Amino acid sequence: MASASPSSHLNKAVRQSYMMLSQAGKCQVTYVWIDGTGEGLRSKIRTMDTEPESIEDIPEWNFDGSSTWQAEGSNSDMYLIPVRMFRDPFTLDPNKLVLCEVLKYNRLPAESNHRDSCNKVMEKVKEHCIWFGMEQEYTLFGIDGHPFSWPPSGYPSPQGPYYCSVGANNAYGRDIVECHYKACLYAGVKICGTNAEVMPSQWEFQVGPCGGIEMGDQLWVARFLLHRVCEDFGVVASLDPKPVMGNWNGAGCHTNVSTKQMREEGGLKHIDQAIVKLSKNHREHILVYDPHEGKDNVRRLTGLHETSSIKDFSSGVADRSASIRIPREVGQNGRGYFEDRRPAANCDPYLVTRAIAQTCLLDPEVQ
Ligand code: ADP
Ligand code: MN
Ligand code: MN
Ligand code: MN
């Protein structure tokens, strides 16, 4: 494939002979963090003498924030605070991946660290046992910036056959999807499904349900694994919410939400109450549903291609052109969860889940 990266063509059999070497009792720990763009992920590795049993066993670390758009060169040391540990699906047991929060020189959260404020809201709403499930859509590209497996000039045939498809003419890049799924399961990421999307070379995976702060942690690590698997195959996963303009679907990150009350008998009443609150805070939510205050999502939320308009709030049972959809079986059972369809594929899940918890559970009662 001409558009795959040179690194992906390196001799993998040679690599494998090194991967089989013993580690002499040591453990490799890969620290993962969100960079100053609020979208990019970075990582670096250190050796530990013994395998960490839990997150408490993993020490703080640091990095050069002036190289990640997170600090000035004159005061560039940033702290890495381990928050959640996973198994490493690339170099295997006993090695670990550890997601970190980033603190500045003064130990306050970096501007791109929204986990800290999200966690504070989740602590406040603890008694509601809020669960989230997020549907991460993404699009595969060659390193030449051309959609993966699209004809070199012109377009594939129009949308219709690609969603949940099978066959070489319809499903582009399934190797990546399958390898990412396995990598998530091995790592301990709560991936719960995957499907091919409406636009060719566009796919989705779902993570959840996750309680409170865990949603953001799990989704960020699932994204790290996606980018890392794609690197092996020499292609790029884009989270741009409208990667191809025109008559092609965009990419979102639908966020499914329930509280204990919503999941219990008569829960629909609580879902309706949450939707009323969300309707009064539409603009505030749009501002945090992509990293650029709605400027990315405005290309996607047009009211076409299974989206609502960015300007208007709407809701409905089984309605995929609404801002908020109540799944049909939830309407029928009278309890369950709702789906916020507005977040963009490149959203920060900490900001999305924080906004939802804040609006639905902490803002004063709507009259
Ligand atoms: P869709 O029909 O919108 O494509 P998916 O099957 O792709 O739905 O995704 C459903 C999502 O809903 C999953 O992420 C799942 O974890 C989440 N989910 C299921 N039940 C609940 C619940 N009670 N609370 C919150 N999220 C839930
Ligand atoms: Mn879905
Ligand atoms: Mn989808
Ligand atoms: Mn959905």
Side-chain angles (χ1 to χ4, degrees):
M1 182 76 50
S3 63
S5 70
S7 303
S8 66
H9 295 298
L10 292 173
N11 189 323
K12 301 303 172 185
V14 175
R15 176 182 186 272
Q16 192 51 30
S17 69
Y18 287 93
M19 287 298 123
M20 283 158 56
L21 296 176
S22 116
Q23 296 187 179
K26 306 284 187 188
C27 180
Q28 293 174 316
V29 181
T30 301
Y31 286 58
V32 177
W33 71 96
I34 301 159
D35 73 17
T37 65
E39 296 181 70
L41 285 157
R42 309 285 178 127
S43 68
K44 59 176 189 162
I45 307 177
R46 79 192 305 185
T47 302
M48 285 182 66
D49 289 336
T50 53
E51 180 180 353
E53 278 174 24
S54 72
I55 192 77
E56 284 78 38
D57 296 336
I58 301 179
E60 282 184 20
W61 204 12
N62 54 59
F63 69 97
D64 166 17
S66 68
S67 301
T68 60
W69 299 297
Q70 283 169 306
E72 297 297 317
S74 56
N75 207 353
S76 65
D77 276 10
M78 311 287 282
Y79 295 101
L80 287 171
I81 313 298
V83 294
R84 204 173 288 275
M85 188 174 83
F86 297 83
R87 294 164 74 200
D88 183 342
F90 304 106
T91 63
L92 309 185
D93 292 335
N95 301 327
K96 307 296 180 203
L97 297 178
V98 57
L99 181 70
C100 298
E101 271 195 38
V102 176
L103 303 184
K104 293 186 285 196
Y105 66 95
N106 56 9
R107 296 193 70 86
L108 290 173
E111 273 67 36
S112 53
N113 174 2
H114 300 295
R115 187 184 192 275
D116 184 73
S117 64
C118 180
N119 203 17
K120 290 194 170 97
V121 169
M122 294 306 170
E123 283 297 318
K124 279 192 208 157
V125 303
K126 216 168 190 168
E127 85 263 26
H128 292 280
C129 299
I130 193 163
W131 293 355
F132 298 98
M134 294 180 86
E135 306 167 42
Q136 177 69 65
E137 293 177 339
Y138 61 94
T139 312
L140 299 176
F141 281 81
I143 48 160
D144 56 2
H146 191 70
F148 175 75
S149 199
W150 284 32
S153 56
Y155 293 92
S157 54
Q159 293 185 163
Y162 307 109
Y163 171 72
C164 297
S165 62
V166 64
N169 51 341
N170 293 326
Y172 303 167
R174 192 190 301 276
D175 279 356
I176 288 157
V177 177
E178 291 180 341
C179 293
H180 173 252
Y181 205 140
K182 283 275 191 177
C184 283
L185 291 175
Y186 183 94
V189 167
K190 290 186 177 172
I191 189 168
C192 61
T194 192
N195 58 268
E197 268 305 335
V198 175
M199 184 175 101
S201 297
Q202 198 168 74
W203 297 84
E204 168 180 314
F205 63 86
Q206 301 99 30
V207 176
C210 298
I213 193 66
E214 193 186 9
M215 183 70 251
D217 294 351
Q218 292 274 342
L219 189 64
W220 275 114
V221 172
R223 285 176 179 177
F224 177 80
L225 296 180
L226 178 66
H227 295 309
R228 178 65 183 72
V229 167
C230 281
E231 181 187 322
D232 277 349
F233 285 99
V235 301
V236 176
S238 167
L239 303 192
D240 189 292
K242 192 76 175 185
V244 186
M245 292 306 282
N247 214 9
W248 304 99
N249 272 35
C253 196
H254 298 167
T255 302
N256 301 271
V257 187
S258 66
T259 61
K260 194 159 162 285
Q261 288 176 315
M262 294 174 191
R263 294 187 291 269
E264 285 169 356
E265 205 168 332
L268 200 53
K269 186 178 75 209
H270 297 279
I271 292 175
D272 289 337
Q273 283 169 4
I275 292 174
V276 170
K277 293 182 176 186
L278 289 165
S279 74
K280 313 221 167 189
N281 291 278
H282 178 64
R283 181 86 203 124
E284 289 76 6
H285 281 249
I286 289 296
L287 286 175
V288 295
Y289 280 7
D290 73 49
H292 301 104
E293 302 183 326
K295 289 190 192 72
D296 291 341
N297 232 345
V298 75
R299 291 181 279 125
R300 162 179 169 258
L301 295 179
T302 57
L304 301 172
H305 304 111
E306 299 175 63
T307 69
S308 56
S309 160
I310 196 165
K311 293 197 233 78
D312 307 313
F313 182 90
S314 57
S315 64
V317 175
D319 184 353
R320 289 178 190 265
S321 64
S323 317
I324 306 281
R325 160 178 157 260
I326 299 176
R328 190 180 303 285
E329 92 268 10
V330 174
Q332 278 162 0
N333 298 342
R335 60 160 139 180
Y337 64 98
F338 67 88
E339 175 191 43
D340 190 337
R341 300 176 60 80
R342 298 170 294 173
N346 61 347
C347 68
D348 184 332
Y350 295 127
L351 287 177
V352 171
T353 57
R354 184 187 83 188
I356 292 171
Q358 171 86 39
T359 299
C360 298
L361 299 173
L362 287 180
D363 282 356
E365 283 301 317
V366 182
Q367 301 308 313

